[in-house]
Amino acid sequence: MANASWIRAEPWGIHLVPVDCWIDPARPVERALITHGHADHARGGHGETIATPETLAIMDLRYNTRAGVRPVAYGETVRLAGGVDATWLPAGHVLGSAQVLLEHAGERVIVTGDFKRRPDPTCAPFAVTPCDVLITEATFGLPVFIHPPVEEEIGKLLSARTANPDRCVLVGTYALGKAQRVIAELRRAGYPEPIWLHGALERMCRLYEEFGVELGDLRLVSDAQKDELRGAVVLCPPSALSDRWSRRLPEPITAMASGWMRVR
Ligand SMILES: [Zn+2]
């Protein structure tokens, strides 16, 4: 029976004992395998960082981690000295996000990192992969979380805009993943107008575009006249929803794109 005794859960990460590597460690280590770019998984300061090219680009944007990086494509296997094979597979969570398949001593172990199984136009879809042991986490895994269809939520957002042509619809979104997903879903719904961004969201959106995710006409709120924002869709980090920044907007109707994207 598989027991994956060669993998240990430590408070600061998942330790692959035979190869002395860590998955998503919370403190600097000699060699880190990173599932994706969110700050609770990817941190700077490791000797060597192995991740997808997209995740490495996100980490470089956030932490300037250009040194000691080793990019691996989806489906590519890295043989770690000490005898563990590691393969990065799509996790469907954000751009570049991966599950790591680990093979050692005849056992196949998957560490999913964050993942989702719903389609997301901004990243590769989750790959179902057979394994003996699954190590996972689930932020919204409890049955109490009901995820309505994305199309329905985007429809509500667009209806709110149509019903209030003198106001703007302001959506709070995290900079990595949620912002680009909301934009891409608006485009998929046929919304052709410029989408206005808080400055804190701009660089990550540009990085997505560099990796081929088309987001259409994006503009900065700081470049807008107030009247241009009437009837517009505006995205900002959740922290900006109620701060001074939002006062420049024309009577915003606010919504929050959270884990299950419910538009109030
Ligand atoms: Zn994440």
Side-chain angles (χ1 to χ4, degrees):
M1 203 177 106
N3 60 16
S5 58
W6 43 282
I7 298 182
R8 300 257 166 80
E10 302 287 354
W12 53 89
I14 296 168
H15 190 207
L16 311 182
V17 180
V19 288
D20 194 21
C21 286
W22 294 81
I23 297 183
D24 293 350
R27 64 186 198 191
V29 297
E30 209 37 57
R31 199 157 22 148
L33 282 49
I34 305 296
T35 60
H36 69 285
H38 278 146
D40 53 336
H41 291 257
R43 294 165 179 86
H46 307 305
E48 185 182 23
T49 304
I50 311 176
T52 62
E54 295 89 342
T55 295
L56 291 174
I58 292 163
M59 292 178 72
D60 185 34
L61 188 67
R62 295 187 149 175
Y63 312 117
N64 280 318
T65 51
R66 213 159 294 170
V69 298
R70 180 167 174 186
V72 279
Y74 287 135
E76 188 182 335
T77 300
V78 173
R79 172 147 294 183
L80 302 165
V84 174
D85 286 345
T87 307
W88 274 248
L89 301 164
H93 174 55
V94 297
L95 182 73
S97 65
Q99 318 167 61
V100 185
L101 166 65
L102 303 159
E103 294 172 280
H104 177 71
E107 292 182 333
R108 290 165 60 89
V109 178
I110 286 195
V111 178
T112 65
D114 291 344
F115 73 99
K116 73 172 175 295
R117 299 182 62 190
R118 283 208 182 169
D120 179 337
T122 67
C123 60
F126 179 84
V128 177
T129 309
C131 61
D132 301 304
V133 175
L134 185 76
I135 301 173
T136 191
E137 57 182 280
T139 310
F140 295 105
L142 292 172
V144 69
F145 294 110
I146 309 288
H147 301 246
V150 169
E151 296 79 7
E152 219 171 81
E153 300 305 299
I154 293 290
K156 283 190 218 167
L157 197 158
L158 291 174
S159 305
R161 170 186 174 267
T162 312
N164 300 277
D166 290 334
R167 303 173 65 182
C168 72
V169 176
L170 175 62
V171 188
T173 63
Y174 294 107
L176 169 55
K178 291 291 183 301
Q180 298 78 25
R181 188 179 179 202
V182 170
I183 295 166
E185 290 291 356
L186 281 163
R187 298 308 185 201
R188 199 162 68 87
Y191 184 69
E193 302 296 325
I195 294 173
W196 297 85
L197 303 178
H198 182 289
L201 305 180
E202 188 195 14
R203 289 202 306 166
M204 197 61 78
C205 289
R206 298 302 173 209
L207 187 147
Y208 267 64
E209 290 177 318
E210 283 167 28
F211 280 95
V213 179
E214 289 180 16
L215 300 175
D217 188 353
L218 303 180
R219 301 186 193 180
L220 286 176
V221 167
S222 54
D223 295 337
Q225 303 295 326
K226 195 166 187 176
D227 279 345
E228 278 185 286
L229 299 174
R230 296 190 192 283
V233 176
V234 181
L235 269 52
C236 70
S239 58
L241 278 175
S242 55
D243 76 8
R244 287 170 63 89
W245 175 86
S246 66
R247 287 190 214 156
R248 74 180 70 186
L249 304 173
E251 300 175 73
I253 301 162
T254 59
M256 175 69 198
S258 69
W260 68 103
M261 219 180 96
R262 183 178 292 283
V263 178
R264 280 192 294 265

Coordinates of all heavy atoms in Angstrom, one line a residue, residues 131-176:
C131 N -3.0 8.8 -9.5 CA -1.9 8.8 -8.5 C -2.3 7.8 -7.3 O -3.4 7.4 -7.2 CB -1.7 10.2 -8.0 SG -3.1 10.9 -7.1
D132 N -1.3 7.5 -6.5 CA -1.6 6.7 -5.3 C -1.9 7.6 -4.1 O -2.7 7.1 -3.3 CB -0.3 5.9 -5.0 CG 0.2 5.0 -6.1 OD1 -0.7 4.2 -6.6 OD2 1.3 5.2 -6.6
V133 N -1.3 8.7 -4.0 CA -1.6 9.6 -2.9 C -1.9 11.0 -3.4 O -1.1 11.5 -4.3 CB -0.4 9.7 -1.9 CG1 -0.6 10.7 -0.8 CG2 -0.1 8.3 -1.3
L134 N -2.9 11.7 -2.9 CA -3.2 13.1 -3.3 C -3.1 14.0 -2.2 O -3.7 13.8 -1.1 CB -4.7 13.1 -3.9 CG -5.1 14.4 -4.5 CD1 -4.5 14.6 -5.9 CD2 -6.6 14.5 -4.5
I135 N -2.2 15.0 -2.3 CA -2.1 16.0 -1.3 C -2.7 17.3 -1.8 O -2.3 17.8 -2.9 CB -0.6 16.2 -1.0 CG1 0.1 14.9 -0.5 CG2 -0.4 17.4 0.1 CD1 1.6 15.0 -0.3
T136 N -3.7 17.8 -1.1 CA -4.5 18.9 -1.7 C -4.9 19.9 -0.7 O -4.7 19.7 0.5 CB -5.7 18.3 -2.5 OG1 -6.3 19.4 -3.3 CG2 -6.8 17.8 -1.6
E137 N -5.5 20.9 -1.1 CA -6.1 21.9 -0.2 C -7.3 22.5 -0.9 O -7.4 22.4 -2.1 CB -5.1 23.0 0.1 CG -4.5 23.8 -1.1 CD -3.5 24.8 -0.7 OE1 -3.9 25.9 -0.2 OE2 -2.3 24.5 -0.8
A138 N -8.3 23.0 -0.1 CA -9.6 23.4 -0.6 C -10.1 24.6 0.1 O -10.7 24.4 1.2 CB -10.5 22.2 -0.6
T139 N -9.9 25.7 -0.4 CA -10.4 27.0 0.2 C -11.9 27.0 0.2 O -12.5 27.4 1.2 CB -9.8 28.2 -0.5 OG1 -8.4 28.0 -0.6 CG2 -10.1 29.5 0.3
F140 N -12.5 26.6 -0.9 CA -13.9 26.6 -1.0 C -14.5 25.2 -1.2 O -15.4 25.0 -2.0 CB -14.3 27.6 -2.2 CG -14.0 29.0 -2.0 CD1 -12.9 29.6 -2.6 CD2 -14.7 29.8 -1.1 CE1 -12.5 30.9 -2.4 CE2 -14.3 31.1 -0.8 CZ -13.3 31.7 -1.5
G141 N -13.9 24.3 -0.5 CA -14.3 22.9 -0.7 C -15.6 22.5 0.1 O -16.2 21.5 -0.2
L142 N -15.9 23.3 1.2 CA -17.1 22.9 2.0 C -18.4 23.0 1.1 O -18.5 24.0 0.3 CB -17.2 23.8 3.2 CG -16.1 23.6 4.2 CD1 -16.2 24.7 5.3 CD2 -16.2 22.2 4.9
P143 N -19.3 22.1 1.4 CA -20.6 22.2 0.5 C -21.3 23.5 0.7 O -22.2 23.9 -0.1 CB -21.4 21.0 1.1 CG -20.5 20.2 1.8 CD -19.3 21.0 2.3
V144 N -21.0 24.2 1.8 CA -21.7 25.5 2.0 C -21.4 26.5 0.9 O -22.2 27.4 0.7 CB -21.4 26.1 3.4 CG1 -19.9 26.5 3.5 CG2 -22.3 27.2 3.9
F145 N -20.3 26.4 0.2 CA -20.0 27.3 -0.8 C -20.7 26.9 -2.1 O -20.4 25.8 -2.7 CB -18.5 27.4 -1.0 CG -17.8 28.0 0.1 CD1 -17.0 27.2 0.9 CD2 -17.9 29.3 0.4 CE1 -16.3 27.7 2.0 CE2 -17.2 29.9 1.5 CZ -16.4 29.1 2.3
I146 N -21.6 27.7 -2.6 CA -22.3 27.4 -3.9 C -21.7 28.3 -4.9 O -21.7 29.5 -4.7 CB -23.8 27.7 -3.8 CG1 -24.4 27.0 -2.5 CG2 -24.5 27.3 -5.1 CD1 -24.5 25.5 -2.6
H147 N -21.2 27.8 -6.0 CA -20.6 28.6 -7.0 C -21.6 28.7 -8.2 O -21.7 27.8 -8.9 CB -19.3 27.9 -7.5 CG -18.3 27.7 -6.4 ND1 -17.1 28.4 -6.4 CD2 -18.3 26.9 -5.3 CE1 -16.4 28.0 -5.3 NE2 -17.1 27.1 -4.7
P148 N -22.2 29.9 -8.3 CA -23.1 30.0 -9.4 C -22.3 30.1 -10.8 O -21.1 30.3 -10.8 CB -23.8 31.4 -9.2 CG -22.9 32.1 -8.2 CD -22.1 31.1 -7.5
P149 N -23.0 29.8 -11.9 CA -22.3 29.8 -13.2 C -21.7 31.2 -13.4 O -22.3 32.2 -13.1 CB -23.4 29.6 -14.2 CG -24.5 28.9 -13.4 CD -24.5 29.5 -12.0
V150 N -20.5 31.2 -13.9 CA -19.8 32.5 -14.2 C -20.6 33.4 -15.1 O -20.7 34.6 -14.9 CB -18.4 32.2 -14.8 CG1 -17.8 33.5 -15.3 CG2 -17.5 31.5 -13.8
E151 N -21.2 32.8 -16.1 CA -22.0 33.6 -17.1 C -23.1 34.3 -16.4 O -23.4 35.5 -16.8 CB -22.7 32.6 -18.2 CG -21.7 31.9 -19.0 CD -21.0 30.6 -18.3 OE1 -21.5 30.3 -17.2 OE2 -20.1 30.1 -18.9
E152 N -23.7 33.7 -15.4 CA -24.8 34.4 -14.6 C -24.3 35.6 -13.9 O -24.9 36.7 -13.9 CB -25.3 33.4 -13.6 CG -26.8 33.4 -13.4 CD -27.2 32.2 -12.5 OE1 -27.0 32.3 -11.3 OE2 -27.6 31.2 -13.0
E153 N -23.1 35.5 -13.3 CA -22.5 36.6 -12.5 C -22.1 37.7 -13.5 O -22.3 38.9 -13.2 CB -21.4 36.1 -11.7 CG -21.7 35.0 -10.7 CD -22.9 35.5 -9.7 OE1 -22.7 36.5 -9.0 OE2 -23.9 34.8 -9.8
I154 N -21.5 37.3 -14.6 CA -21.1 38.4 -15.6 C -22.3 39.1 -16.1 O -22.4 40.3 -16.3 CB -20.3 37.7 -16.7 CG1 -18.9 37.2 -16.2 CG2 -20.1 38.7 -17.9 CD1 -17.9 38.3 -15.8
G155 N -23.4 38.3 -16.3 CA -24.7 38.9 -16.8 C -25.2 39.9 -15.8 O -25.7 41.0 -16.2
K156 N -25.1 39.6 -14.5 CA -25.6 40.6 -13.5 C -24.8 41.8 -13.5 O -25.3 42.9 -13.4 CB -25.4 39.9 -12.1 CG -26.5 38.9 -11.7 CD -26.3 38.6 -10.3 CE -26.6 37.1 -10.0 NZ -26.1 36.7 -8.7
L157 N -23.5 41.7 -13.7 CA -22.6 42.8 -13.7 C -23.0 43.7 -14.9 O -23.1 44.9 -14.8 CB -21.2 42.3 -13.9 CG -20.0 43.2 -13.6 CD1 -18.8 42.3 -13.2 CD2 -19.6 44.0 -14.7
L158 N -23.2 43.1 -16.1 CA -23.5 43.9 -17.3 C -24.9 44.5 -17.2 O -25.1 45.6 -17.6 CB -23.4 43.0 -18.5 CG -21.9 42.6 -18.9 CD1 -21.9 41.6 -20.0 CD2 -21.1 43.8 -19.2
S159 N -25.8 43.8 -16.5 CA -27.2 44.4 -16.3 C -27.1 45.6 -15.4 O -27.8 46.6 -15.7 CB -28.1 43.4 -15.7 OG -28.2 42.2 -16.5
A160 N -26.3 45.5 -14.4 CA -26.2 46.6 -13.4 C -25.6 47.9 -14.2 O -26.1 49.0 -14.0 CB -25.2 46.3 -12.3
R161 N -24.7 47.6 -15.1 CA -24.1 48.7 -15.9 C -25.2 49.3 -16.8 O -25.3 50.5 -16.9 CB -23.0 48.1 -16.7 CG -22.4 49.0 -17.7 CD -21.4 48.4 -18.6 NE -21.0 49.3 -19.6 CZ -21.6 49.3 -20.8 NH1 -22.5 48.4 -21.1 NH2 -21.2 50.2 -21.7
T162 N -26.0 48.5 -17.5 CA -27.0 49.0 -18.5 C -28.0 49.8 -17.7 O -28.5 50.8 -18.2 CB -27.6 47.8 -19.2 OG1 -26.6 46.9 -19.7 CG2 -28.5 48.2 -20.4
A163 N -28.4 49.3 -16.5 CA -29.5 50.0 -15.8 C -29.0 51.3 -15.1 O -29.9 52.1 -14.7 CB -30.0 49.0 -14.7
N164 N -27.7 51.5 -15.1 CA -27.2 52.7 -14.4 C -26.2 53.4 -15.3 O -25.0 53.4 -15.0 CB -26.6 52.3 -13.1 CG -27.5 51.7 -12.1 OD1 -28.3 52.4 -11.4 ND2 -27.6 50.3 -12.1
P165 N -26.6 54.0 -16.4 CA -25.6 54.5 -17.4 C -24.8 55.7 -16.9 O -23.7 56.0 -17.4 CB -26.5 54.9 -18.6 CG -27.9 55.0 -18.0 CD -28.0 54.1 -16.9
D166 N -25.3 56.3 -15.8 CA -24.5 57.5 -15.3 C -23.5 57.1 -14.2 O -22.8 57.9 -13.7 CB -25.5 58.5 -14.7 CG -26.2 59.2 -15.9 OD1 -25.7 59.2 -17.0 OD2 -27.3 59.7 -15.6
R167 N -23.6 55.8 -13.8 CA -22.7 55.4 -12.7 C -21.6 54.4 -13.3 O -21.7 54.1 -14.5 CB -23.5 54.7 -11.6 CG -24.6 55.6 -11.1 CD -25.5 54.8 -10.1 NE -24.8 54.4 -8.9 CZ -25.3 53.7 -8.0 NH1 -26.6 53.3 -8.1 NH2 -24.6 53.3 -6.9
C168 N -20.7 53.9 -12.5 CA -19.8 52.9 -13.0 C -20.0 51.6 -12.1 O -20.5 51.7 -11.0 CB -18.3 53.4 -13.0 SG -17.6 53.5 -11.4
V169 N -19.6 50.5 -12.7 CA -19.6 49.3 -11.9 C -18.1 49.0 -11.5 O -17.3 48.9 -12.3 CB -20.1 48.1 -12.8 CG1 -20.1 46.8 -12.0 CG2 -21.6 48.4 -13.2
L170 N -17.9 48.9 -10.2 CA -16.6 48.8 -9.7 C -16.4 47.4 -9.1 O -17.2 47.0 -8.1 CB -16.3 49.8 -8.6 CG -15.0 49.8 -7.8 CD1 -13.8 50.0 -8.7 CD2 -15.0 50.8 -6.7
V171 N -15.5 46.6 -9.6 CA -15.4 45.2 -9.1 C -14.0 45.1 -8.4 O -13.0 45.4 -8.9 CB -15.4 44.2 -10.3 CG1 -15.4 42.8 -9.8 CG2 -16.6 44.5 -11.2
G172 N -14.1 44.6 -7.1 CA -12.9 44.3 -6.4 C -12.3 43.0 -6.8 O -13.0 42.0 -6.7
T173 N -11.1 43.0 -7.2 CA -10.5 41.7 -7.7 C -9.0 41.6 -7.3 O -8.3 42.6 -7.2 CB -10.4 41.6 -9.2 OG1 -9.6 42.7 -9.8 CG2 -11.8 41.7 -9.9
Y174 N -8.5 40.4 -6.9 CA -7.1 40.3 -6.6 C -6.3 40.4 -7.9 O -6.8 40.1 -9.0 CB -6.9 39.0 -5.9 CG -7.5 39.0 -4.6 CD1 -8.6 38.2 -4.3 CD2 -7.0 39.8 -3.5 CE1 -9.3 38.2 -3.1 CE2 -7.7 39.8 -2.3 CZ -8.8 39.0 -2.1 OH -9.4 39.1 -0.9
A175 N -5.1 40.9 -7.8 CA -4.3 41.3 -8.9 C -3.9 40.1 -9.8 O -3.7 40.2 -11.0 CB -3.0 42.0 -8.5
L176 N -3.6 38.9 -9.1 CA -3.2 37.7 -9.9 C -4.3 36.7 -10.0 O -4.7 36.1 -9.0 CB -2.0 37.1 -9.2 CG -1.6 35.7 -9.7 CD1 -1.3 35.7 -11.2 CD2 -0.4 35.2 -8.9

